[in-house]
Amino acid sequence: MEAAYRCLSDSHREPVTMSTILHTAGVSSRAFYRHFRSKDDLFLALLQEGADEIAARVDRVAAAEIGSPADQLATWIGEIFDLMVDPRRRMQMAVIDSEEVRSAAGYRDMRERSHASRERSLADILRRGRATGAFPLADPDHDAVAISALVSRILSSVAPEDMQAVKQAESRLLDFALRAVGAVARE
């Protein structure tokens, strides 16, 4: 999988061949097929690995229940933005979102499942906020999808090396999300 990340993150004009990935990994096709059925399977495994990591990070935020629901929402959003500024994670996310990986059979379904797993913890935070009155306008399941989509949109439009822009985007997103659920923006 590391070899696939390396090959896909390098500049290339043509699709990366399996032989290139196998050569980079230093494994035979027989060894590859013991673990994966196809190149698409490998690409879906890359997506699953990334999705599992993100879900685990945000699930920990929701499970910890530290601070107010607004604090938890801020921490949830912060976890996602932290991934953006980590060069290795950013490279992995770029590979996962590359044209080649997106063309893998089953990509769309797995991507939907990965979004749903990420949104589950956000919906839990929003539910707690609604129950305590901190988020009186929250519609947890729908708002989690909307906030998560907005996070993805913003992450794709902000230069990750511009930390000031990243922090400003994170702050604006949090303020928007808090207003959307009926909370007062944090100072």
Side-chain angles (χ1 to χ4, degrees):
M1 288 176 62
E2 284 301 316
Y5 276 124
R6 281 196 309 273
C7 291
L8 290 166
S9 67
D10 290 341
S11 291
H12 56 280
R13 290 185 178 177
E14 299 294 320
V16 174
T17 64
M18 269 314 302
S19 61
T20 300
I21 294 171
L22 295 176
H23 181 265
T24 301
V27 298
S28 68
S29 58
R30 179 190 284 183
F32 172 81
Y33 287 110
R34 274 186 247 149
H35 299 283
F36 302 101
R37 289 178 295 175
S38 65
K39 185 177 178 181
D40 285 353
D41 241 18
L42 170 63
F43 290 172
L44 294 179
L46 298 176
L47 174 58
Q48 186 67 56
E49 179 182 68
D52 289 349
E53 181 181 338
I54 293 169
R57 287 179 72 156
V58 294
D59 285 352
R60 282 191 294 274
V61 170
E65 296 186 42
I66 296 172
S68 69
D71 294 333
Q72 294 168 31
L73 179 57
T75 303
W76 189 96
I77 291 171
E79 283 293 319
I80 301 291
F81 272 77
D82 285 351
L83 290 170
M84 175 188 175
V85 297
D86 178 310
R88 183 173 188 278
R89 300 293 178 243
R90 195 170 61 242
M91 178 274 298
Q92 287 176 327
M93 295 303 150
V95 165
I96 288 168
D97 198 39
S98 70
E99 190 72 32
E100 247 175 300
V101 174
R102 285 189 311 214
S103 68
Y107 175 86
R108 186 181 198 111
D109 290 337
M110 182 163 294
R111 185 70 172 204
E112 287 302 314
R113 286 193 306 271
S114 75
H115 282 289
S117 68
R118 180 172 92 179
E119 293 155 1
R120 182 181 52 248
S121 59
L122 180 54
D124 289 345
I125 292 168
L126 297 174
R127 248 184 235 96
R128 279 196 291 275
R130 175 126 177 137
T132 65
F135 300 156
L137 303 179
D139 180 354
D141 293 323
H142 292 102
D143 292 346
V145 171
I147 293 168
S148 180
L150 189 53
V151 166
S152 295
R153 173 71 168 99
I154 290 171
L155 289 178
S156 69
S157 66
V158 176
E161 54 281 343
D162 184 349
M163 285 305 294
Q164 183 176 357
V166 170
K167 288 299 175 189
Q168 186 175 39
E170 183 179 342
S171 178
R172 286 181 177 160
L173 174 63
L174 176 60
D175 286 346
F176 173 81
L178 289 170
R179 284 192 315 272
V181 296
V184 177
R186 297 167 0 128
E187 297 299 318

